[in-house]
Amino acid sequence: MSLLVVGSVAFDAVETPFGKRDRMLGGSASHFSISASFFTNVRVVAVVGGDFGAAEREVFSRHHIDTSDLEVIPDGETFQWHGRYEYDLNVAHTLDTRLNVFAGFQPKLSDASKKSRLVFLGNIQPDLQRAVRAQVPGAELVALDTMNLWIDTTRDSLQKTIEVVDLVIINDAEARQLSAEPNLTKAARKILSWGPGTLIVKRGEYGAAMFTRDGYFAIPAYPLEAVFDPTGAGDTFAGGLMGYLASHEKLDEAALRRAMIFGSVMASFNVEEFGTERVQRLTHEEINQRFSDFKRFTHFEEIPFEQKVSSSKSQISS
Amino acid sequence: MSLLVVGSVAFDAVETPFGKRDRMLGGSASHFSISASFFTNVRVVAVVGGDFGAAEREVFSRHHIDTSDLEVIPDGETFQWHGRYEYDLNVAHTLDTRLNVFAGFQPKLSDASKKSRLVFLGNIQPDLQRAVRAQVPGAELVALDTMNLWIDTTRDSLQKTIEVVDLVIINDAEARQLSAEPNLTKAARKILSWGPGTLIVKRGEYGAAMFTRDGYFAIPAYPLEAVFDPTGAGDTFAGGLMGYLASHEKLDEAALRRAMIFGSVMASFNVEEFGTERVQRLTHEEINQRFSDFKRFTHFEEIPFEQKVSSSKSQISS
């Protein structure tokens, strides 16, 4: 049941119309691993600077996240991101990005990490993702996230990386840009033709959709009256999804469907407070409650329409 | 099982990147009633000019649509709409609108129509909608559609009309504009506070959501590789939904949920060809096939996550 994530660990400064935080634990690997930790044990491959302290380590250890492969560069500084969201939280502005030690990140996997059964290649440069992929030849399922920056600047390398993974987890704008297809169903077919067996498309407030060679599954988002801070929602979704899968022996479509629900549940909690604050103090009861809500929100009885032969006559004469 | 629709009957000229039609049967009442006719008998209250001919009448009669209350003004011309869609079919341009006889439309209901069990107030001026609503005091369910024009120009009258209907069927931009709430869940709560028991929000390619006082239900859209002409999709959705409900004795939430699926099925066919062309030649087998597809696309097993107490130890030592 081992799950590995390669990505960023960062300090985030976030401003929203509802408040701000100057420095909180962020980055794709942090959001992913804390979310996944509710379902399985996770190993993190990332890099931090000397400013990464006891408080941050304590968050990982409290969630039983294995940081043996968390590289520390003592005289460097950890990746810092500073962003601001507008009242419409879909509109985000990056105010400052300091890659710091992350600029030279060369993922190093221990022997134990190389034996991971499931691997999530967080949103990093596609060459690095592919280098990691090559080190986990025995992995049962390798998933990848990416972003518009890599589609713009390293498209060929990105496509090569997609060719060697099993699952792509991206948002709908990225799926359209990556495939140059405005229609999402066509976009999915094109991306799947490159190799992966499964594409999961995140659609924010509209939920998520899964495409396989001959299957389709879609879910709405959990309905929330207040979204506070969307930072990390995508990685939290992926963490819940991959974490749930890692807790399963059989990675079939039924498990993938439930994994998408658990991913959505985790993301729905993530956006309710700053950074990882809400997710950190979650309970399994709360998680299962929202999973059960999803069933309630989407269930309908499969009763086909039966034409009443007599209705036409009786109706017109009424 | 009587269903009444009040709305427009029009001649549409439509241009898309895939082709054009100069003059085809359109308007909210046409799209609605043809879609609903697959489930129940429908009466249409609308107005047309002397140019409304045998070919158009034949479409209605072939679908057993009762046109007794279709007013004809022999020396007037039927409402004409001319629109053009861009390659992104979400971008529509109205090139010409000639209201003609529709400008002076005063819906007149026969005694038979006044006894309708279900009523759909199509997208017309809200004062007229309310005048019709007052003539069907015994109706079991009255639904309403509207548009940004009426929210902009006749907001107070529209709100008064919403107060006296049971079901509002609008799209998400309209729900946000109407309520002045960017968050859809809050928007829904506000609109429901005015009176209606149910709000159904159409989200185009993202599906539809239903809000009640204490319930929520959401479905994805049917995945289509090619959308050809979106004209009338909303009315076709409402027609399938209301038509299916009209075929039912009990209008409970379970029926409403299935009705939303049938509405989505009908809309998915509508957009595959120009105007009502695809819907007109549908079969019940095709409709039930896509209904069944919806179950396949949304079903998951409700198995809560169970924490494995031993996993933590065995994991870290692996």
Side-chain angles (χ1 to χ4, degrees):
Chain A
M1 307 200 299
S2 58
L3 173 60
L4 182 76
V5 54
V6 180
S8 59
V9 169
F11 286 120
D12 285 350
V14 174
E15 300 169 31
T16 81
F18 317 111
K20 59 182 286 200
R21 287 286 185 281
D22 289 330
R23 180 185 156 108
M24 54 186 180
L25 182 61
S28 60
S30 306
H31 281 282
F32 179 96
S33 61
I34 295 170
S35 175
S37 74
F38 286 86
F39 304 95
T40 194
N41 291 98
V42 197
R43 290 172 199 279
V44 172
V45 176
V47 62
V48 293
D51 54 350
F52 190 79
E56 290 77 34
R57 289 198 172 275
E58 192 275 330
V59 173
F60 284 113
S61 66
R62 184 153 40 87
H63 290 92
H64 306 287
I65 298 164
D66 188 325
T67 52
S68 316
D69 288 359
L70 181 66
E71 184 185 2
V72 182
I73 300 183
D75 55 351
E77 278 192 288
T78 300
F79 179 15
Q80 286 171 37
W81 180 76
H82 184 182
R84 181 171 63 79
Y85 293 94
E86 294 195 6
Y87 186 63
D88 175 354
L89 293 164
N90 296 308
V91 185
H93 304 280
T94 291
L95 303 178
D96 194 18
T97 302
R98 298 186 190 188
L99 293 176
N100 298 332
V101 297
F102 191 62
F105 181 40
Q106 294 290 340
K108 291 167 196 71
L109 275 62
S110 60
D111 286 345
S113 286
K114 287 178 187 170
K115 290 180 199 146
S116 299
R117 183 174 159 240
L118 281 85
V119 177
F120 182 69
L121 305 171
N123 169 27
I124 58 174
Q125 213 275 354
D127 291 337
L128 294 182
Q129 290 179 317
R130 209 159 59 255
V132 172
R133 191 352 170 178
Q135 294 177 63
V136 289
E140 196 173 326
L141 188 144
V142 178
L144 160 152
D145 183 19
T146 190
M147 71 186 292
N148 56 352
L149 171 69
W150 309 124
I151 302 173
D152 284 335
T153 60
T154 58
R155 175 183 285 273
D156 290 349
S157 172
L158 176 58
Q159 189 171 332
K160 269 191 217 169
T161 309
I162 289 174
E163 285 168 10
V164 293
V165 303
D166 308 292
L167 169 61
V168 173
I169 306 177
I170 53 182
N171 70 37
D172 47 359
E174 289 157 359
R176 291 187 167 96
Q177 190 191 352
L178 184 59
S179 61
E181 279 286 355
N183 178 288
L184 192 64
T185 307
K186 278 189 189 166
R189 221 165 44 155
K190 190 163 177 180
I191 293 166
L192 292 179
S193 78
W194 298 341
T198 308
L199 168 70
I200 290 176
V201 179
K202 299 170 286 181
R203 297 165 135 180
E205 65 169 312
Y206 299 111
M210 172 165 66
F211 298 85
T212 56
R213 293 264 178 281
D214 44 25
Y216 174 72
F217 176 64
I219 56 172
Y222 193 89
L224 294 169
E225 295 217 6
V227 174
F228 199 83
D229 173 16
T231 311
D235 292 300
T236 305
F237 171 86
L241 190 154
M242 296 286 286
Y244 178 77
L245 284 180
S247 76
H248 264 65
E249 284 307 307
K250 207 175 152 191
L251 306 185
D252 57 5
E253 171 144 351
L256 270 163
R257 288 181 173 214
R258 289 195 302 276
M260 271 178 69
I261 309 281
F262 280 109
S264 300
V265 164
M266 299 308 285
S268 76
F269 284 115
N270 177 77
V271 302
E272 289 187 327
E273 294 183 24
F274 272 117
T276 61
E277 291 172 9
R278 179 72 184 92
V279 172
Q280 279 197 39
R281 55 168 212 279
L282 271 177
T283 66
H284 285 100
E285 289 68 30
E286 289 172 317
I287 293 168
N288 278 331
Q289 179 56 55
R290 285 205 178 171
F291 178 82
S292 169
D293 289 342
F294 260 102
K295 190 69 193 180
R296 210 157 37 85
F297 295 159
T298 59
H299 177 74
F300 64 94
E301 292 159 280
E302 190 177 358
I303 306 173
F305 175 73
E306 278 184 58
Q307 204 177 3
K308 294 169 190 77
V309 181
S310 64
S311 72
S312 173
K313 274 185 184 169
S314 68
Q315 194 57 31
I316 282 170
S317 64
S318 75
Chain B
M1 308 200 301
S2 58
L3 172 61
L4 182 76
V5 54
V6 180
S8 60
V9 170
F11 286 120
D12 284 351
V14 174
E15 300 169 31
T16 80
F18 317 110
K20 60 182 285 198
R21 286 288 186 280
D22 289 332
R23 181 187 156 109
M24 57 184 178
L25 183 60
S28 60
S30 306
H31 282 282
F32 179 96
S33 61
I34 294 169
S35 175
S37 75
F38 286 86
F39 304 95
T40 194
N41 291 100
V42 199
R43 290 171 197 280
V44 172
V45 176
V47 63
V48 293
D51 54 349
F52 191 79
E56 289 78 33
R57 288 197 173 277
E58 193 274 329
V59 174
F60 285 112
S61 66
R62 185 154 39 88
H63 290 92
H64 306 288
I65 297 165
D66 189 324
T67 54
S68 315
D69 287 0
L70 181 65
E71 186 185 0
V72 182
I73 299 181
D75 56 351
E77 278 192 286
T78 300
F79 179 14
Q80 286 172 36
W81 180 76
H82 184 183
R84 181 171 64 78
Y85 294 93
E86 293 195 6
Y87 186 64
D88 174 355
L89 293 164
N90 294 308
V91 184
H93 304 279
T94 290
L95 302 178
D96 194 18
T97 303
R98 298 186 190 188
L99 293 176
N100 298 331
V101 297
F102 191 63
F105 181 40
Q106 295 289 340
K108 291 168 195 71
L109 276 63
S110 62
D111 287 345
S113 285
K114 288 177 186 169
K115 289 180 200 146
S116 299
R117 185 175 156 239
L118 280 84
V119 178
F120 182 68
L121 306 171
N123 170 27
I124 58 173
Q125 212 276 352
D127 293 336
L128 295 181
Q129 290 179 316
R130 209 157 61 253
V132 172
R133 202 303 163 226
Q135 293 177 63
V136 290
E140 197 174 326
L141 188 145
V142 179
L144 161 153
D145 182 20
T146 192
M147 72 186 291
N148 56 352
L149 172 68
W150 310 124
I151 302 173
D152 283 335
T153 60
T154 59
R155 176 184 284 273
D156 291 349
S157 172
L158 176 58
Q159 189 171 331
K160 271 191 215 168
T161 309
I162 290 174
E163 286 168 9
V164 294
V165 302
D166 308 292
L167 169 61
V168 173
I169 306 176
I170 53 183
N171 70 36
D172 49 359
E174 289 157 358
R176 291 187 166 97
Q177 190 191 352
L178 184 59
S179 63
E181 279 286 354
N183 178 288
L184 192 63
T185 307
K186 278 190 188 167
R189 219 163 47 153
K190 190 162 176 182
I191 293 167
L192 292 179
S193 78
W194 299 341
T198 308
L199 168 70
I200 290 176
V201 179
K202 299 171 285 183
R203 296 165 137 182
E205 66 170 310
Y206 298 111
M210 172 166 65
F211 297 87
T212 55
R213 294 264 177 282
D214 43 26
Y216 174 72
F217 176 63
I219 56 173
Y222 193 89
L224 294 170
E225 293 216 7
V227 173
F228 198 84
D229 172 16
T231 311
D235 292 300
T236 304
F237 171 85
L241 189 154
M242 295 286 287
Y244 178 78
L245 283 181
S247 77
H248 264 65
E249 285 305 307
K250 209 175 152 192
L251 307 183
D252 57 6
E253 171 143 354
L256 270 163
R257 287 180 172 213
R258 288 195 302 275
M260 273 177 67
I261 308 280
F262 280 109
S264 300
V265 164
M266 299 307 285
S268 76
F269 284 115
N270 178 78
V271 302
E272 289 186 329
E273 292 184 23
F274 271 118
T276 61
E277 290 171 11
R278 179 72 184 93
V279 173
Q280 279 194 41
R281 55 167 212 278
L282 271 178
T283 66
H284 284 101
E285 287 67 30
E286 289 173 317
I287 294 168
N288 278 332
Q289 180 56 56
R290 286 207 177 170
F291 178 82
S292 169
D293 288 342
F294 260 102
K295 190 70 194 179
R296 210 156 38 85
F297 295 159
T298 59
H299 178 74
F300 63 94
E301 292 160 279
E302 190 178 357
I303 306 172
F305 174 73
E306 277 183 61
Q307 205 176 2
K308 295 169 190 74
V309 180
S310 64
S311 72
S312 174
K313 273 186 186 169
S314 67
Q315 194 55 33
I316 283 171
S317 64
S318 78

